Amino acid sequence: EQPRQRRPGDASPSSMSAAMAGLRTPRTWCTRTWRSRRTVVKAAVPETSEKTPASDEEGEPKLCILYDSDCPACKKEVNMLQSRDQGKRLKFTDIADPRYEAQKNGGVSYERAMRRIHAITEEGEVVTGIDAFRRAYENVGLGWVYAPTKFKAVQALAERAYNVWAEYRLKLAGRPKLEKLLAERKEKRKSLGLNPEETE
């Protein structure tokens, strides 16, 4: 048979190949993009585990809260925040643990942390008092609770009320004075082979 002659208007084999190649290119790019996005999403959402809710392995905490586990009121509030912290944005460090080290926690000593609440941001900034509470509540979706304290006058009043509670919280809980707690802590650290004089 005679080869079919190309009629006017027919596309040449080379132009058709180029067109087909052009059609395949977007599909390849999208596939690569989707795969890369799938990898990123998988890395950004780690698998859940049975570890402590505020552990570094499970997420990326935005705020580290220093708390006294021997304080009933403090422990109750920490439990509430942990139950609300679905995004694992908070990390809780127990200052009552004799192995607590100030150098690993923004330079905040046990004595300082016992006198008023301290929190450390992911940038390393140390915040205290009402500011610490406000940031903690914001991270668990309860920012409205402390939202009024963004006004200076309201925050000043809230700080005064908190300072009174912080000063008398040991007495209200029937616990020894801070001086006695500091002496007991030194003995505990000695028994663990740790430096009794904590450095900031």
Side-chain angles (χ1 to χ4, degrees):
E1 293 182 0
Q2 294 294 330
R4 179 179 175 275
Q5 295 184 355
R6 185 165 57 87
R7 297 177 181 177
D10 288 348
S12 64
S14 59
S15 63
M16 291 179 67
S17 298
M20 292 300 292
L23 290 173
R24 288 194 298 267
T25 302
R27 184 175 64 181
T28 303
W29 180 83
C30 289
T31 302
R32 290 176 179 174
T33 303
W34 178 80
R35 286 176 179 172
S36 63
R37 287 177 180 173
R38 181 178 61 179
T39 302
V40 171
V41 171
K42 185 176 181 181
V45 185
E47 297 180 357
T48 57
S49 64
E50 298 296 329
K51 298 177 182 178
T52 305
S55 63
D56 290 330
E57 293 82 4
E58 285 188 324
E60 298 179 359
K62 303 297 181 183
L63 190 71
C64 174
I65 300 173
L66 307 183
Y67 76 101
D68 176 14
S69 64
D70 291 333
C71 168
C74 306
K75 184 61 177 177
K76 185 177 181 179
E77 186 151 18
V78 165
N79 289 339
M80 184 277 292
L81 290 172
Q82 286 181 324
S83 67
R84 294 270 186 172
D85 188 21
Q86 301 300 319
K88 313 307 177 192
R89 298 173 65 86
L90 300 179
K91 177 180 179 180
F92 299 90
T93 299
D94 183 9
I95 62 172
D97 186 338
R99 290 162 296 191
Y100 169 82
E101 295 289 350
Q103 293 178 333
K104 298 179 181 179
N105 293 280
V108 181
S109 67
Y110 169 78
E111 181 176 358
R112 282 177 58 192
M114 284 292 288
R115 293 188 182 280
R116 62 189 286 111
I117 188 172
H118 286 68
I120 307 162
T121 68
E122 59 181 340
E123 292 83 15
E125 178 188 2
V126 177
V127 293
T128 66
I130 297 301
D131 192 14
F133 283 111
R134 183 170 60 243
R135 297 196 189 202
Y137 275 63
E138 287 174 348
N139 273 288
V140 297
L142 294 175
W144 58 270
V145 175
Y146 280 89
T149 63
K150 291 182 179 180
F151 296 98
K152 291 183 178 180
V154 178
Q155 179 167 357
L157 291 174
E159 287 285 1
R160 289 181 184 178
Y162 169 73
N163 289 339
V164 171
W165 179 85
E167 183 177 356
Y168 293 99
R169 73 178 182 89
L170 293 177
K171 184 176 182 179
L172 292 172
R175 298 174 62 190
K177 292 184 178 180
L178 182 56
E179 290 74 18
K180 184 175 181 180
L181 293 177
L182 289 171
E184 292 176 351
R185 177 179 173 80
K186 289 182 179 180
E187 293 302 319
K188 289 179 181 178
R189 287 179 63 85
K190 282 182 180 180
S191 66
L192 293 173
L194 302 173
N195 182 4
E197 299 297 334
E198 188 177 12
T199 56
E200 299 185 10

